[in-house]
Amino acid sequence: MEYMVLCSIGLEKILSNELKKMGYKLKNANNGIVEFYGKEYDYYKLNILLRTAERVMIKIGEFYAETFDELFDGILDIDLKQYLPKNGKIIIDKVRSSKSKLYNKSTIQSIVKKSIIENLKKGYKINTYNEEKGVYKIRVYIKNNKVTLALDTSGDGLHKRGYRKYVSEAPLRETIAAAMILKSGWKRRYPLIDPFCGSGTIPIEGVLYGLNIPPGIYRDFSFNDWYNFNSNLFDGMKKELLKEIDYNKELKIYGYDKAYKMIEIARKNAGNFDINKYITFVKANMESINLDYKEGHIITNPPYGDRLKDKDHAEKIYEQMRYLKRKYPDFKYTIITSHEEFEDFFGSKAKNKKKIINGNHEAYIYYFEGV
Ligand SMILES: C[S@@+](CC[C@H](N)C(=O)[O-])C[C@H]1O[C@@H](n2cnc3c(N)ncnc32)[C@H](O)[C@@H]1O
């Protein structure tokens, strides 16, 4: 079975590393999509375990089409019975087209849907297709006239772990917080500090990683309602993964925020996964933080200042962060912001800077090590 796992653009390498660690040999990693072959039910564990993936898709067909007739016929030729039932709710979720003759999204959407239904009616030898049970979301990618159909196994985006019921004004995507932690190279024996923790996303993702809690262990996926859902396999897998969580691990994870309201929210969010005791949340200004450690990781998402009026304020905070760096020079700093000149304000040159695109939003993950 061919898999396409989606992530924010720029996170392909980190996601690829996660997949390689799981033993997959990758075919391609580009433009927010990582492709590889896996076994039939691998999407269960992929959805539960991957920290930086946004969606796990199965490639269900690929062919060339330059006209709507070719599009219709190309779909008729796919063996869809192996993926879709005789009574599922078929939703053509998204169409992306580039450098291709077919580009009108709503027409593509309706032709793909019609052809899929025709295909299934023929395949199941039925006269009417009743959309009754289970949601089957399908995405259509067309590039250089090559059409790829992919079935979404995840449902809600995988950043929705289930713990973040309350948010700050500018919450960080859970998958991006996890990517920052993986990219930083943080090891569990070192402190992990977030001086601008907001709703607690980075410290919470730190605990999930630190204790080996699979990020998707407490949520549902699209496939839970599918006709071929194997609950024995799924429940058995979850049981095994729950056994591998190490609740006895001692972690040094701290979240600070100047707003008491945010600290309360962060505590509630951590409480939703019952991991409060692994994080020390403190109301404090970044400028007055006192750490008991000389070494460790500061992983943080300071105010962005995207809106013009907030930009000055954000830049002042970045300048203040110099003092943090001076006070704790042996810490490693992983910082996300949309500010392209963050290094000038922070007064240090990043060892590396990674651009990521999340929806329409661009940001950079800066990594600083040494003075
Ligand atoms: C971009 S938000 C962080 C969002 C967070 N990563 C999340 O996922 O919810 C920045 C946070 O920094 C806090 N903040 C702003 N200035 C601060 C300062 N000088 N010291 C500490 N916290 C500050 C704000 O209250 C806000 O919650």
Side-chain angles (χ1 to χ4, degrees):
M1 195 171 255
E2 215 172 330
Y3 284 95
M4 295 167 66
V5 177
L6 312 192
C7 62
S8 298
I9 291 177
L11 298 189
E12 299 86 352
K13 203 168 155 199
I14 302 172
L15 172 58
S16 295
N17 286 340
E18 281 197 87
L19 288 161
K20 281 183 202 158
K21 275 199 184 139
M22 288 169 82
Y24 293 105
K25 289 207 175 73
L26 308 182
K27 220 179 102 187
N28 226 326
N30 221 324
N31 229 352
I33 305 181
V34 182
E35 295 180 81
F36 57 95
Y37 289 98
K39 297 206 192 82
E40 188 182 347
Y41 282 104
D42 279 4
Y43 57 90
Y44 288 11
K45 67 174 178 196
L46 291 166
N47 274 295
I48 298 174
L49 287 172
L50 289 172
R51 295 182 191 277
T52 60
E54 188 53 30
R55 210 164 272 289
V56 176
M57 321 270 304
I58 297 168
K59 193 186 275 187
I60 59 176
E62 202 158 52
F63 57 90
Y64 282 91
E66 294 189 5
T67 65
F68 288 122
D69 283 344
E70 285 174 1
L71 178 64
F72 193 88
D73 292 344
I75 292 171
L76 282 187
D77 286 344
I78 303 172
D79 178 15
L80 286 180
K81 252 175 78 177
Q82 58 172 317
Y83 307 107
L84 303 172
K86 58 175 168 223
N87 60 348
K89 290 181 195 136
I90 312 284
I91 297 171
I92 311 305
D93 185 31
K94 262 195 185 153
V95 174
R96 254 201 229 158
S97 170
S98 65
K99 298 180 195 149
S100 300
K101 295 230 165 104
L102 298 176
Y103 57 84
N104 184 315
K105 292 190 179 170
S106 56
T107 316
I108 294 170
Q109 221 163 358
S110 79
I111 288 185
V112 169
K113 168 101 190 221
K114 262 189 213 149
S115 183
I116 288 178
I117 300 290
E118 272 316 299
N119 179 318
L120 293 171
K121 280 194 330 201
K122 246 200 229 155
Y124 286 109
K125 299 188 175 60
I126 48 177
N127 292 327
T128 43
Y129 189 86
N130 293 318
E131 302 198 47
E132 287 161 353
K133 196 176 171 297
V135 174
Y136 295 79
K137 282 192 184 164
I138 289 165
R139 291 193 174 190
V140 185
Y141 298 92
I142 310 181
K143 195 172 176 191
N144 297 323
N145 300 313
K146 185 156 102 181
V147 181
T148 304
L149 291 194
L151 173 64
D152 174 17
T153 68
S154 305
D156 280 341
L158 294 179
H159 66 278
K160 294 196 177 163
R161 325 294 208 194
Y163 62 76
R164 205 165 70 183
K165 306 255 195 277
Y166 313 91
V167 289
S168 58
E169 246 178 55
L172 182 65
R173 241 178 207 219
E174 295 83 337
T175 41
I176 296 178
M180 290 173 73
I181 292 167
L182 294 178
K183 190 172 161 50
S184 74
W186 174 65
K187 299 273 180 307
R188 295 156 175 90
R189 63 180 182 280
Y190 288 107
L192 188 167
I193 318 283
D194 181 357
F196 302 95
C197 74
S199 53
T201 318
I202 293 173
I204 293 172
E205 288 295 324
V207 175
L208 299 190
Y209 177 63
L211 300 183
N212 205 21
I213 299 177
I217 197 83
Y218 299 123
R219 56 159 277 174
D220 288 336
F221 306 97
S222 255
F223 64 77
N224 289 114
D225 287 331
W226 286 1
Y227 76 111
N228 58 351
F229 177 56
N230 183 335
S231 58
N232 284 341
L233 181 67
F234 184 67
D235 294 342
M237 185 183 288
K238 286 216 292 195
K239 217 166 144 190
E240 286 308 308
L241 290 169
L242 284 166
K243 273 194 222 154
E244 285 171 29
I245 298 176
D246 187 356
Y247 286 110
N248 294 323
K249 211 145 224 140
E250 273 191 33
L251 299 173
K252 305 173 191 102
I253 299 187
Y254 297 79
Y256 299 87
D257 201 287
K258 70 169 187 184
Y260 185 66
K261 195 175 137 228
M262 292 321 306
I263 293 299
E264 272 187 324
I265 286 179
R267 284 194 184 127
K268 277 191 195 158
N269 285 335
N272 288 331
F273 269 16
D274 213 7
I275 52 171
N276 254 323
K277 69 171 183 179
Y278 300 97
I279 311 174
T280 310
F281 284 116
V282 182
K283 178 202 169 305
N285 272 342
M286 174 269 298
E287 296 82 345
S288 59
I289 291 174
N290 275 315
L291 305 176
D292 291 334
Y293 309 99
K294 283 215 160 74
E295 274 183 282
H297 283 262
I298 290 185
I299 305 180
T300 196
N301 164 214
Y304 265 19
D306 277 342
R307 285 170 296 182
L308 215 53
K309 72 177 172 64
D310 299 333
K311 204 169 171 201
D312 275 358
H313 177 64
E315 287 172 355
K316 287 208 177 79
I317 292 177
Y318 302 161
E319 275 174 352
Q320 291 297 322
M321 288 173 74
R322 281 179 189 219
Y323 301 109
L324 199 65
K325 180 99 168 61
R326 245 176 244 159
K327 205 164 155 190
Y328 303 104
D330 295 328
F331 266 73
K332 298 178 167 80
Y333 293 75
T334 307
I335 297 167
I336 188 165
T337 164
S338 56
H339 204 307
E340 278 192 66
E341 281 103 45
F342 175 79
E343 290 155 296
D344 296 344
F345 296 94
F346 190 49
S348 188
K349 181 99 187 87
K351 198 168 171 206
N352 59 61
K353 173 181 176 183
K354 179 93 205 144
K355 183 175 175 176
I356 58 165
I357 303 175
N358 185 19
N360 297 328
H361 202 271
E362 281 183 11
Y364 299 89
I365 299 177
Y366 293 90
Y367 177 75
F368 302 87
E369 190 185 289
V371 199

